[in-house]
Amino acid sequence: MGMQSVAVACGALALCLALSTATNPGFVVRITQAGLDYAQEQGIAILEKELAQLKLPDISGDSRVLRVGKVHYELSRLRLRDFQLPYSRITPISNVGLQVSISNAFAELDGDWRVKFLFIRDHGSFDLKVENIYIKILLRLGSDTTGRPTISTSDCSAHISKVRVLFSGKLAWLYNLFHRVIESRLRKNLESKVCDNVAKSVHNDLQMYIRTLPVTAKIDNKFGIAYSLVAPPRATAQSLDADLKGEFYSLAHRSPIPFSPLPLAFPSDHERMVYFGASSYFFNTAGIAYHKAGALVFEITEAMIPKDVEFKLETSVFSAFIPQLEEMYPNMPMKFRLSAPTAPFLTIGPGGISFQPIVDAQAYAILPNSSLAPLFLLSLTGNVSAVINVRSGRIVGSLDVGRIRLSLKDSAVGTFQVRMMQSLMNILTSSTLLPRLNARLDEGFPLPLLDRIQLSNILVRFHQNFLLLGADVRFQPRG
């Protein structure tokens, strides 16, 4: 094989390895241009405050003035009275991150001056107006080893096209003779200081703020969700995307998931500021985590049945379908232990979320000494659909169960017609198990949100293999 063929084969092998190790996200966050525009409004307000605290050094030097000679000047106590950034724009730049463009900014300063030439000394004050300030900032997005997002200033340039300085005092006329020299020095000082303060603001404020995006979100004292980045944030022409792990796990024992997330064909929706794509992988890892932790085991007793349901969980009721119960365990209370032999697996399509869980229902008679006598083991299956919404930054939902199908897996009381118990088991599960599950789902699961972000104008749509949640955002300042 020639060297060229070897190179091609090696390249193909490298590509296959890269593809095989690529990690699809289980959860995607997309910030649209509308969201970036809102972020720009909030960020520029912070940057204005930062730039309003600019500290400019004193300036001194010598200048030769026609018919006067060499003049020594000093400018001190430079104070920035105002810094306004009226026009700005954030634009996603592919393979880089974000570009912040600021135009027609202006600032006002004042300070003190001193002058000395020949044997003359004098001092006074001055006012400085800086107009047509143009600033361009490139923000590079990345991620650290923990999967947290990072942001840094990869480039910054500032250009000031107009500076006007007006001196007051007895010898102000003298300063005004060489004001261009002063204006040039002030321009250079301001241009360098603006970018210094931008870099400082990005590092101290923006970087610290984006680190409030949770890498893990605790659900309760047993379970959490991994929201770490699987790749650096990705800028496109119209949005900024963050690919997250999107995986439920047990706090006590985190075990690998036996399947991988499928690619998400994210739609090009731009009606909202932010979109969340929760894949079927995301929801199915919840089933695995809860199943492995033994959290999908429920007991149904007489005390759990609502009073308005005319139903008693006793052997006398079930003896209508299993006559031998009357002889073996007459008039005894019963209980059911429901458990999932396997983790439930759901599918998401344009019609919504659906799954067909299999539940084992073990029936017991409660003996006078409180011990349990196993009666029979049923397998329950049924079509389950889910309603999903967002409330207070959490995914909330509820389940609706269709007609339950029964089959007998084991019996300690002989054979009986299972189908005759169909209505009874439907009443039992819908009045006890379903309310418990829906109460838990109503508590919700946290979305990956930055600190002090509130969601509104919620949109819920179903697509093949994932749930799309859209929302507008509002930043809530401290205090």
Side-chain angles (χ1 to χ4, degrees), residues 43-55 80 83 85 193-206:
I44 290 300
I46 295 172
L47 186 58
E48 280 184 342
K49 292 180 181 179
E50 186 70 34
L51 292 176
Q53 300 174 20
L54 271 174
K55 303 297 182 183
L80 188 63
F83 208 124
L85 309 174
K193 283 293 182 179
V194 163
C195 280
D196 287 345
N197 272 48
V198 165
K200 177 183 174 183
S201 182
V202 169
H203 181 269
N204 292 344
D205 299 320
L206 190 54

Side-chain angles (χ1 to χ4, degrees), residues 304-376:
M304 295 171 57
I305 300 176
K307 293 181 179 180
D308 60 342
V309 177
E310 296 181 3
F311 180 89
K312 288 195 174 295
L313 194 52
E314 296 178 348
T315 55
S316 58
V317 173
F318 281 83
S319 63
F321 317 107
I322 314 171
Q324 53 269 39
L325 275 181
E326 188 68 30
E327 299 177 5
M328 300 174 65
Y329 303 102
N331 298 317
M332 290 187 183
M334 292 175 59
K335 70 182 293 184
F336 278 89
R337 178 173 290 137
L338 277 60
S339 61
T342 59
F345 192 87
L346 59 80
T347 59
I348 304 177
I353 296 178
S354 62
F355 57 108
Q356 293 182 320
I358 300 174
V359 177
D360 284 346
Q362 175 66 60
Y364 297 94
I366 304 175
L367 303 180
N369 62 1
S370 298
S371 61
L372 301 177
L375 301 178
F376 52 86

